[in-house]
Amino acid sequence: QVQLVESGGGLVQAGGSLRLSCAASGRTFSMYAMAWFRQAPGKEREFVSAISRSGDKIYYTDSVKGRFTISRDNAKNTVYLQMNSLKPEDTAVYYCAADWTTIPTMIPESYEYDRWGQGTQVTVSS
């Protein structure tokens, strides 16, 4: 089974950019749909973005559309989240998640992701 390790978080001013990376162990990364979630203090974890195994299908939550870009490199077993025009409300712990899918273009429901990383903190100052 895949294990996930996030990196790239940090402190940035509003309007700045960060790129998060999620490195996966194992040789079956290409069989997993991947997603990013986030959890702000005192709030529930929320979906941010997801990408299918093939990379052909991508979803974003409305609040990040046009600012965030998800991508994956199956050769490097890594999924990325490029975050531009960051806002203070983007402050959260960001988690990478994976779900084994049989259909290359499938995006799982949020509850279906069963492999999680430890999270990386993103703080956006105003």
Side-chain angles (χ1 to χ4, degrees):
Q1 292 185 342
V2 68
Q3 293 184 322
L4 307 173
V5 178
E6 301 97 333
S7 61
L11 173 63
V12 64
Q13 289 188 332
S17 298
L18 284 173
R19 188 176 82 154
L20 305 183
S21 299
C22 173
S25 64
R27 295 177 290 178
T28 58
F29 177 74
S30 63
M31 298 299 292
Y32 288 83
M34 301 297 296
W36 289 95
F37 291 77
R38 65 187 180 186
Q39 187 167 19
K43 295 187 177 181
E44 293 188 354
R45 186 169 58 196
E46 66 169 348
F47 169 82
V48 176
S49 181
I51 186 167
S52 63
R53 280 173 44 190
S54 63
D56 291 341
K57 187 168 288 186
I58 289 175
Y59 289 167
Y60 297 101
T61 192
D62 285 346
S63 62
V64 308
K65 285 180 180 177
R67 300 189 298 122
F68 290 11
T69 302
I70 192 171
S71 61
R72 67 187 296 159
D73 186 337
N74 286 347
K76 294 183 178 180
N77 283 11
T78 303
V79 62
Y80 304 97
L81 186 67
Q82 178 66 45
M83 305 186 296
N84 299 329
S85 302
L86 282 161
K87 305 175 181 180
E89 51 264 44
D90 295 318
T91 294
V93 177
Y94 283 70
Y95 296 92
C96 174
D99 182 48
W100 180 287
T101 58
T102 57
I103 302 172
T105 56
M106 179 180 177
I107 296 287
E109 297 293 331
S110 293
Y111 68 86
E112 294 182 283
Y113 291 92
D114 57 1
R115 307 300 297 177
W116 295 84
Q118 82 290 349
T120 186
Q121 176 71 47
V122 172
T123 303
V124 185
S125 62
S126 57

